[in-house]
Amino acid sequence: MRAIIAAVVVAGLAAPAFGDETTAIAYGKGLVVENCSGCHGVGAADKSTHPQAPPFRTLSQRYPLDALEEAFVEGIDTGHPDMPRFVASPEQITAILSYIATLNE
């Protein structure tokens, strides 16, 4: 499962305090657009440019969000062969999962 999922690290970027779910979703979207969209489809309809990188909208269909959260907490060693290792802060994980959840609403 970890081999398919991407998480995000943004060096030097402090996660905002989330006042509401909308803020978390926007932050999560920004993280995945900035760090994952080079290979993964991160929107509601875009395709992944890397053949082994699944679109983010399919992740919650393939894995329960709590399983994704666990993988993010542990850090992702590799997703596709040329994917860098990512580790995300708890705030970033919350934001990323909030965003992923909106892709299938």
Side-chain angles (χ1 to χ4, degrees), residues 2 5 13-15 17 26 28 30 32 44 51 66 73 81 89 91-92 98:
R2 282 187 219 138
I5 308 164
L13 180 63
V32 300
D66 59 341
V73 167
S89 72
E91 292 81 10
Q92 290 170 325
S98 295

Side-chain angles (χ1 to χ4, degrees), residues 2 68-77 85-88 93:
R2 282 187 219 138
L68 292 175
E69 180 177 14
E70 181 180 333
F72 289 157
V73 167
E74 293 176 2
I76 308 302
D77 289 321
R85 185 178 194 283
F86 291 110
V87 178
I93 293 167

Side-chain angles (χ1 to χ4, degrees), residues 54-72:
F56 272 41
R57 70 182 167 280
T58 67
L59 295 178
S60 65
Q61 298 165 2
R62 300 165 95 171
Y63 308 102
L65 288 179
D66 59 341
L68 292 175
E69 180 177 14
E70 181 180 333
F72 289 157

Side-chain angles (χ1 to χ4, degrees), residues 13-102:
L13 180 63
F18 301 129
D20 59 38
E21 186 70 7
T22 302
T23 303
I25 293 166
Y27 181 57
K29 180 178 181 179
L31 289 170
V32 300
V33 166
E34 173 88 18
N35 296 282
C36 308
S37 63
C39 294
H40 294 269
V42 297
D46 56 335
K47 295 181 180 181
S48 295
T49 59
H50 192 290
Q52 294 176 322
F56 272 41
R57 70 182 167 280
T58 67
L59 295 178
S60 65
Q61 298 165 2
R62 300 165 95 171
Y63 308 102
L65 288 179
D66 59 341
L68 292 175
E69 180 177 14
E70 181 180 333
F72 289 157
V73 167
E74 293 176 2
I76 308 302
D77 289 321
T78 184
H80 42 79
D82 50 347
M83 184 174 146
R85 185 178 194 283
F86 291 110
V87 178
S89 72
E91 292 81 10
Q92 290 170 325
I93 293 167
T94 297
I96 292 165
L97 293 175
S98 295
Y99 175 67
I100 290 171
T102 69

